[in-house]
Amino acid sequence: MNHAFCKLIQMDELPAIKIKHPRFNAILLLQGAQLIEFRPQQNQFENVLWLSPSAQYKLGSPIRGGIPICWPWFGNLDKNPDSIQDQVDNKTSASAHGFARSMPWQIKHIQEDCHFVEVTLSLSSDSTTKELWPFEFELEAKFVLSNTLKFALVTSNTGSLPFSISQALHTYLPTQDIKHSFIHSAQNSTYIDALDSWKEKQQVGKVSFSGETDRLYFFEDKEYSLRLETPTQSLLINNKNSQSAVIWNPWVEKSKRLSQFSPLDFQKMLCIETANVLSDAKKINAGEQIEISVELAIHSSQ
Ligand code: TA6
């Protein structure tokens, strides 16, 4: 790899692109096009993303942290609309959050200059993916890294049949203390509570955390921003072509059932996931493409 700021490294079983740029450092795994570290100078080169201290880098196994890509379905298949469930022949072996995050992606394009680095990885349908999901597609994960992190996932339907997807950019974020962390700008939104029989509820005020939290929020606009306030930082999460977001913290009991996760990790992380889920799932006709994107920008840090 002959680039000024990017080099190919190996993390246990997984190849990755390590980027050392004057404005930031980053690590992007080729498996799942999973960004696991983004360390901007503005954040004293600390990771803006949460990455499990017990992360394992094994072929075919998702890594706990960074921004896993949930595609071509979010969550458990049986919690998706029928239009998505009916596309999968072997439902019982369908992995949670789809298969894109466990597959080897290819480097499609790298562009770098003194202001930013742009990396595009791609995943195209083949005999392996068609066993899991019988459609022709090309996925592109486009990262534009500078003082901010911009990440767009583009789905192209390269076949002759329409297909439907649900998806999420499953962003893990750090906090000094989950009990003093709040998410603003979701007030008055409707959400589905996955921990209370998937009942529909209304968000009153800012989102706070005092127990396991697993909620699917819905917004009127296709562009919306959320602000995460932690004891040491304020982070803007700007979303496009998404009218839903998943907010998750496993708390004590679920933490015991999670891989690559220690019992007290829940105190130092949360997920804010830019999504197209449930009523915001997407149908893509032959020859068409859709894009979902997120930008993370530090608003202020103490
Ligand atoms: O996004 C929230 C969620 O669906 C939780 O229910 C939990 O399962 C989490 O994703 C992590 O899923 P994973 O398969 O990565 O362990």
Side-chain angles (χ1 to χ4, degrees):
M1 177 178 284
N2 182 21
H3 291 282
F5 305 120
C6 300
K7 68 174 184 175
L8 208 52
I9 63 168
Q10 191 74 14
M11 298 188 74
D12 195 358
E13 296 179 9
L14 300 182
I17 299 172
K18 186 176 179 71
I19 309 175
K20 283 188 74 60
H21 186 277
R23 291 188 171 187
F24 69 92
N25 296 331
I27 297 180
L28 173 59
L29 297 173
L30 298 196
Q31 178 173 280
Q34 189 166 347
L35 187 68
I36 56 171
E37 292 192 15
F38 174 64
R39 299 171 174 271
Q41 185 178 26
Q42 197 183 1
N43 199 38
Q44 295 75 45
F45 293 101
E46 290 297 317
N47 196 358
V48 167
L49 304 171
W50 184 82
L51 178 62
S52 172
S54 53
Q56 300 284 309
Y57 300 90
K58 303 297 181 188
L59 285 172
S61 299
I63 290 81
R64 178 89 47 209
I67 311 180
I69 292 172
C70 304
W71 191 97
W73 59 83
F74 169 80
N76 292 325
L77 183 63
D78 63 2
K79 291 296 184 190
N80 277 268
D82 289 347
S83 61
I84 288 174
Q85 293 190 48
D86 295 345
Q87 294 175 146
V88 178
D89 299 329
N90 193 348
K91 292 179 178 51
T92 52
S93 65
S95 307
H97 294 318
F99 53 80
R101 64 177 178 167
S102 309
M103 295 272 178
W105 292 49
Q106 306 302 315
I107 300 173
K108 183 163 188 179
H109 172 75
I110 292 178
Q111 182 180 339
E112 43 184 26
D113 72 18
C114 60
H115 301 290
F116 68 88
V117 171
E118 185 175 319
V119 180
T120 299
L121 302 184
S122 64
L123 178 72
S124 297
S125 50
D126 60 16
S127 57
T128 303
T129 65
K130 285 181 192 159
E131 282 290 307
L132 302 167
W133 196 65
F135 297 98
E136 313 263 346
F137 66 87
E138 182 180 23
L139 272 182
E140 287 185 326
K142 298 182 174 181
F143 298 90
V144 180
L145 305 176
S146 182
N147 298 325
T148 63
L149 183 172
K150 292 179 184 167
F151 172 23
L153 182 66
V154 181
T155 298
S156 301
N157 183 340
T158 54
S160 57
L161 297 171
F163 57 63
S164 294
I165 64 169
S166 58
Q167 58 183 345
L169 310 179
H170 198 294
T171 305
Y172 282 79
L173 298 166
T175 176
Q176 294 294 315
D177 182 353
I178 189 64
K179 291 176 183 163
H180 294 92
S181 298
F182 307 96
I183 300 172
H184 301 270
S185 317
Q187 63 275 7
N188 307 322
S189 299
T190 299
Y191 68 89
I192 301 283
D193 188 340
L195 302 173
D196 185 6
S197 309
W198 292 68
K199 282 180 194 155
E200 187 172 295
K201 300 179 180 178
Q202 294 297 318
Q203 178 61 38
V204 178
K206 60 194 176 185
V207 181
S208 59
F209 300 85
S210 56
E212 184 179 352
T213 305
D214 198 343
R215 301 176 182 175
L216 294 75
Y217 283 82
F218 294 87
F219 304 97
E220 293 300 315
D221 298 332
K222 283 184 183 290
E223 284 191 37
Y224 63 92
S225 293
L226 297 173
R227 183 169 67 85
L228 171 62
E229 174 196 352
T230 71
T232 58
Q233 189 176 77
S234 178
L235 184 74
L236 281 178
I237 300 108
N238 303 321
N239 307 291
K240 286 186 180 174
N241 300 318
S242 156
Q243 291 179 268
S244 48
V246 182
I247 293 177
W248 175 60
N249 181 282
W251 218 254
V252 176
E253 291 312 314
K254 175 108 183 202
S255 293
K256 296 172 184 171
R257 304 195 297 275
L258 291 175
S259 61
Q260 306 172 58
F261 205 79
S262 301
L264 299 182
D265 282 343
F266 77 92
Q267 297 174 343
K268 301 287 188 183
M269 56 68 69
L270 70 154
C271 285
I272 301 178
E273 307 162 34
T274 307
N276 293 135
V277 293
L278 296 181
S279 58
D280 189 29
K282 298 296 178 189
K283 179 180 179 184
I284 309 170
N285 293 317
E288 293 184 349
Q289 66 175 221
I290 64 164
E291 174 176 315
I292 184 172
S293 66
V294 63
E295 178 188 33
L296 300 185
I298 292 173
H299 187 250
S300 69
S301 49
Q302 283 81 0

